[in-house]
Amino acid sequence: MNNGVFIPIRLDSERLPEKSLKLVNEKPILYYLFDRILKSESIQSKKNIVVCTTENQSDDKLESIVKEYGASIFRGSKDDLIQRFYDANKFYKFNNILLIDGDDPLIFPEHLDLVLNEQKKFDCIYTSELPFGLNVKSVTAKGLNEVYEKYLSNE
């Protein structure tokens, strides 16, 4: 199976701008998230980790940090996350897509594997009732396409 990860991130957060790039032990917090994802048995390559950001100039710095790590980047709509995910998967063509928030660097790799193993039965699956910042969602390409076709954008 062709598994991938989409991580939505924008650097222009109002509460804590550039939080994903803040350094902990001289390393961007985002890199800790990438490292944990790669401990999953289901994600085989840094290239299968895709940061889905906006086309805004404010996210240029994010693009260079992501590429420096060796992960992938997709730039799309600022306000329409469904559109951004849909367009990203038209390019990357993953069969199963983990959706992990960019400000959740402490996710458990085991949860990624559990969710993807259960994905075989469902088009969309997610963990629940875990502490804030540890839940994971996953959608199949088919499920993402169905959502997109029925989705009414605000743009």
Side-chain angles (χ1 to χ4, degrees), residues 93-143:
K93 297 178 177 29
F94 295 127
N95 294 338
N96 298 305
I97 307 146
L98 288 161
L99 305 173
I100 302 172
D101 292 331
D103 50 5
D104 291 349
L106 300 178
I107 51 100
F108 289 100
E110 299 84 3
H111 291 164
L112 306 181
D113 295 328
L114 287 170
V115 165
L116 285 173
N117 285 336
E118 289 296 313
Q119 185 76 60
K120 297 169 189 153
K121 303 174 194 171
F122 307 98
D123 284 329
C124 181
I125 189 168
Y126 57 92
T127 59
S128 63
E129 299 184 24
L130 294 172
F132 185 74
L134 297 180
N135 284 299
V136 179
K137 301 171 281 293
S138 183
V139 64
T140 62
K142 177 182 174 254

Side-chain angles (χ1 to χ4, degrees), residues 6-12 21 49-67 71-92 155:
F6 287 168
I7 305 170
I9 299 176
R10 292 181 304 133
L11 293 183
D12 64 356
L21 304 184
I49 301 171
V50 181
V51 170
C52 295
T53 193
T54 75
E55 296 169 333
N56 291 7
Q57 186 178 2
S58 60
D59 291 317
D60 290 351
K61 189 174 181 182
L62 177 62
E63 181 171 356
S64 57
I65 295 291
V66 169
K67 287 181 175 179
S72 299
I73 191 94
F74 180 84
R75 298 189 75 162
S77 173
K78 176 185 179 198
D79 298 315
D80 192 337
L81 191 56
I82 300 291
Q83 181 76 53
R84 203 180 323 158
F85 286 158
Y86 177 79
D87 291 343
N89 207 47
K90 281 187 352 190
F91 184 81
Y92 288 100
E155 287 191 354

